[in-house]
Each structure stands twice: as structure tokens, then as C-alpha cells.
Amino acid sequence: MESLYILVPISLAFVFLIGWLFWRALDSGQYDDLERPGFDLLNDDDAPNRDNRGQTPVDKSSQAKVDR
């Protein structure tokens, strides 16, 4: 029974802390636009970039240099 005198106030403090953090997140606008991130995944362009001649660019750092 004596442990309840400590656990109840601690749990109430956690509830108020979590409630305060939630309301602060709401006021900062964190949950304003919930649909755009889902559409961003659908509109993502996975095609590689192409140069002016229509060829895919070559990564020169991955090419082996042979000077012999």
C-alpha cells in the first residue's frame, strides 16, 4: 500500500508530461499535413538523370584507370 503513495504521483506526472508534449507538437504544426508524405512516395522519380545526349552519366570514380 505504501508503494502507491509513490507510484500514483509519478504516473500522474508522466501523464501530464506526455499530454504537454503532445499539445506542444500539435501547436508546432507537426501534424498539419499528413497526406503529402504519402503522395511524395508515389511521385518519386526513380529514373536516372540523363545528360544532354540522352545517355546515362557514368560515375568516373568507379572506373578503373589503366595507364600502362
Side-chain angles (χ1 to χ4, degrees):
M1 181 70 178
E2 290 82 19
S3 64
L4 290 178
Y5 292 126
I6 295 173
L7 293 177
V8 169
I10 290 174
S11 65
L12 287 176
F14 279 134
V15 166
F16 285 117
L17 177 68
I18 291 170
W20 178 75
L21 288 173
F22 177 72
W23 286 111
R24 186 169 174 183
L26 283 178
D27 287 338
S28 70
Q30 183 174 356
Y31 300 110
D32 284 348
D33 187 12
L34 296 177
E35 293 179 1
R36 186 183 52 83
F39 287 120
D40 285 346
L41 288 173
L42 295 174
N43 294 330
D44 188 20
D45 185 20
D46 290 334
N49 294 333
R50 297 190 181 273
D51 62 1
N52 294 341
R53 294 169 288 186
Q55 299 173 351
T56 57
V58 177
D59 185 17
K60 294 182 181 179
S61 64
S62 65
Q63 290 180 345
K65 292 183 179 180
V66 179
D67 292 332
R68 296 180 191 199

